[in-house]
């Protein structure tokens, strides 16, 4: 058997384990219950991977890092187990869905950060939030936790995820402010209800995206904000390929944030801006 590629596989496997160690070390910052001998080894491994900058990371950096680690490990594991899955988001593994939900809540943290620089968006955080493609309700729960005046309509069409969403919401302190519904955004029939909407475009084909934007605009109040997310395509060719693959396997199409901005402006949104991180680019604007 040829072993010409085995050393490279060993290096890739080492990198995967180092990524897991870094994520584990960050997670244990707020957990004093773990065996100190095990924790010492985890932290030592994380420092071997990142160096002393590990200890200097602030809360915002740790939050972003955990999102990136969990997303990478969850995505990699699901891709390896189910390489034959087509262009859809019909994931059956409850653990994988919950992991994606934990990672997704950082989207609302970013929305809040953007709102800090946009007073009108801050006001939108006191109204009713439409969480499209809620999955297991990770974003909805984070919105309810951090915005005590906000009500949330969480919608999705994947019933296995919605079952977990209902359970997660019922077990939270926010069940009186979150409504979970099996509803296609293209069938949204509300009128002038929402002050803020989240639309993950990476799960939508273009015709569906166009209809979703129409429905959300009709369902939004004056001065309501829409935040549309798209996976960022890095300059690195391999990472760009992974971003494309992630979008296609999620059921969407490879989209340019500039196109999404144009679609929003065509529906009357103003002050449309973009905010990019290595994970996702947010396109956001306001209905006058």
């Amino acid at each position: 058997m040829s072993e010409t590629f085995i050393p490279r596989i060993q290096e890739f496997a080492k990198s995967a384990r180092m990524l897991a160690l870094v994520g584990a070390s960050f997670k244990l910052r707020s957990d004093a219950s773990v065996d100190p001998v095990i924790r010492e080894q985890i932290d030592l491994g994380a420092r071997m991977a990142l160096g002393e900058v590990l200890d200097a990371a602030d809360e915002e950096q740790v939050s972003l890092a955990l999102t990136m680690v969990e997303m990478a490990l969850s995505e990699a594991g699901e891709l390896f187990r189910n390489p034959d899955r087509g262009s859809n988001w019909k994931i059956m593994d409850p653990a994988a869905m919950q992991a994606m939900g934990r990672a997704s809540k950082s989207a609302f943290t970013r929305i809040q950060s953007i709102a800090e620089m946009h007073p009108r968006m801050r006001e939108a955080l006191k109204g009713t939030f439409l969480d499209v493609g809620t999955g297991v309700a990770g974003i909805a729960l984070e919105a309810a936790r951090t915005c005590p005046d906000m009500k949330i309509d969480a919608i999705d069409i994947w019933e296995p995820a919605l079952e977990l969403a209902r359970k997660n919401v019922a077990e939270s302190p926010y069940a009186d402010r979150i409504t979970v519904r099996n509803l296609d955004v293209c069938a949204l029939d509300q009128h002038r209800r929402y002050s803020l909407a989240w639309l993950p475009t990476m799960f939508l084909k273009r015709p569906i995206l166009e209809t979703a934007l129409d429905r959300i605009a009709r369902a939004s109040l004056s001065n309501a904000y829409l935040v549309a997310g798209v996976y960022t395509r890095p300059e690195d060719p391999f990472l760009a390929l992974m971003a494309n693959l992630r979008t296609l396997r999620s059921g969407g199409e490879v989209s340019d944030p500039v196109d999404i901005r144009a679609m929003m402006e065509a529906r009357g949104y103003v002050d449309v801006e973009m905010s990019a991180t290595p994970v996702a680019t947010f396109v956001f604007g306001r209905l006058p």
Side-chain angles (χ1 to χ4, degrees):
M1 180 183 70
S2 172
E3 295 187 357
T4 55
F5 60 86
I6 295 301
R8 294 202 68 190
I9 297 295
Q10 290 176 321
E11 284 299 312
F12 297 153
K14 175 182 175 181
S15 295
R17 290 174 170 84
M18 291 174 78
L19 186 64
L21 276 169
V22 169
S25 180
F26 281 142
K27 289 177 75 172
L28 290 178
R29 281 189 170 192
S30 58
D31 186 353
S33 64
V34 69
D35 184 324
V37 177
I38 292 175
R39 178 170 189 159
E40 180 182 15
Q41 291 300 302
I42 290 173
D43 288 343
L44 177 61
R47 288 191 184 91
M48 291 172 70
L50 283 187
E52 295 304 318
V53 296
L54 183 82
D55 300 311
D58 59 29
E59 186 175 341
E60 184 176 351
Q61 289 175 314
V62 169
S63 177
L64 177 59
L66 280 173
T67 297
M68 296 173 69
V69 170
E70 183 147 32
M71 184 175 176
L73 295 177
S74 177
E75 178 185 42
E78 196 280 327
L79 176 60
F80 177 72
R81 290 189 298 272
N82 305 295
D84 57 342
R85 181 167 65 80
S87 181
N88 58 61
W89 198 83
K90 294 182 178 179
I91 296 173
M92 297 297 298
D93 181 10
M97 286 191 283
Q98 294 283 35
M100 291 178 184
R102 287 190 295 272
S104 72
K105 70 180 183 179
S106 66
F108 197 80
T109 303
R110 277 189 65 193
I111 291 173
Q112 287 182 299
S113 296
I114 293 169
E116 286 300 310
M117 299 178 287
H118 297 79
R120 283 176 168 169
M121 188 183 281
R122 285 203 300 271
E123 287 300 310
L125 299 180
K126 300 175 184 177
T128 302
F129 172 44
L130 175 65
D131 177 21
V132 177
T134 192
V136 300
I139 291 175
L141 286 165
E142 185 67 6
R145 185 185 73 83
T146 57
C147 300
D149 297 322
M150 178 177 279
K151 294 183 179 179
I152 300 101
D153 286 356
I155 66 172
D156 208 312
I157 58 173
W158 183 233
E159 191 58 37
L162 286 169
E163 288 180 12
L164 292 173
R166 295 184 190 104
K167 180 176 182 293
N168 291 340
V169 169
E171 293 176 353
S172 78
Y174 318 114
D176 60 330
R177 292 193 285 122
I178 302 176
T179 302
V180 178
R181 299 173 63 192
N182 187 327
L183 178 67
D184 190 326
V185 65
C186 293
L188 185 68
D189 58 359
Q190 298 288 346
H191 182 63
R192 296 182 62 79
R193 172 174 173 80
Y194 301 110
S195 61
L196 176 66
W198 160 251
L199 182 65
T201 69
M202 59 282 282
F203 298 102
L204 307 175
K205 294 285 193 295
R206 175 126 188 178
I208 297 173
L209 174 56
E210 297 270 8
T211 302
L213 289 169
D214 290 336
R215 293 282 181 159
I216 291 171
R218 182 178 182 275
S220 296
L221 296 164
S222 178
N223 287 320
Y225 273 83
L226 168 63
V227 182
V230 59
Y231 290 131
T232 300
R233 293 184 73 251
E235 293 184 6
D236 180 282
F238 177 79
L239 294 179
L241 179 147
M242 287 303 300
N244 289 346
L245 182 60
R246 187 182 310 125
T247 298
L248 293 170
R249 295 182 84 242
S250 297
E253 295 179 3
V254 177
S255 299
D256 190 320
V258 173
D259 292 338
I260 296 171
R261 180 175 64 189
M263 284 188 272
M264 289 175 59
E265 289 175 339
R267 287 158 177 82
Y269 286 91
V270 298
D271 304 328
V272 181
E273 300 180 40
M274 297 184 191
S275 170
T277 71
V279 176
T281 297
F282 287 5
V283 186
F284 59 96
R286 175 179 60 87
L287 275 181

